[in-house]
Amino acid sequence: MERALRAATLVSTALLLIGLAMLLAYSVAEAIANPGYSLVDGYWRGRLPWMGIIEAAVVGGATATLICGAAAVLARGGWIRRLASILLLGPPALWWFAAYIQAGVGGAYCPGCPPPPFDPWAYAYSVPATAGLMLVLPALATAALALSARAKTPYISPS
């Protein structure tokens, strides 16, 4: 079980890192294509479908890394690693709660309109600093905890 959880953590962390690399490449490409744009301007250009793919990779990869990484640490890790992995789940839980609460805000502008659907990807795009600090960084720290633990070695008797 531990081996499968570590492999899942590795795959989901790779997805997260690929999403972050795509985000950087996309911002650079937009800045090059539009003279006078900075990397931040390139980010805010946000063309579909690329930005949707990037958002899904980053948010999905970070969430999967948190879940699989914490499970791997809980399956095999010392008490300090276990405590740290549990504490690292707090900020992402708050981020997901804020993304859920944010979904109901849209109806306040139009009393007769239904509230917008739950869309954590749009929330991550609209508040990237919060997503980075409360979702991506804890995911990377959890991955470091899960992937740096020593693998269980089988016991060989001395006889």
Side-chain angles (χ1 to χ4, degrees):
M1 178 73 151
E2 173 199 351
R3 182 176 254 159
L5 288 171
R6 286 175 65 122
T9 303
L10 187 61
V11 169
S12 59
T13 304
L15 177 64
L16 170 61
L17 294 176
I18 288 169
L20 292 174
M22 287 172 53
L23 179 64
L24 179 63
Y26 172 80
S27 297
V28 168
E30 284 292 333
I32 290 171
N34 299 296
Y37 270 30
S38 67
L39 289 178
V40 175
D41 294 331
Y43 171 81
W44 287 116
R45 183 73 181 206
R47 295 181 198 232
L48 294 174
W50 300 113
M51 192 53 78
I53 294 168
I54 292 167
E55 291 166 359
V58 171
V59 172
T63 303
T65 298
L66 283 160
I67 293 168
C68 297
V73 171
L74 291 176
R76 171 79 174 147
W79 67 272
I80 294 174
R81 285 182 187 270
R82 289 179 178 153
L83 179 64
S85 70
I86 291 170
L87 291 176
L88 283 170
L89 292 175
L94 287 174
W95 184 88
W96 275 98
F97 181 69
Y100 177 73
I101 294 297
Q102 190 70 19
V105 173
Y109 300 108
C110 175
C113 299
F118 176 58
D119 190 2
W121 300 275
Y123 182 64
Y125 175 75
S126 63
V127 192
T130 303
L133 289 174
M134 294 187 71
L135 188 64
V136 173
L137 286 180
L140 293 174
T142 301
L145 283 175
L147 298 175
S148 66
R150 283 183 275 149
K152 206 184 271 188
T153 56
Y155 177 73
I156 301 173
S157 66
S159 58

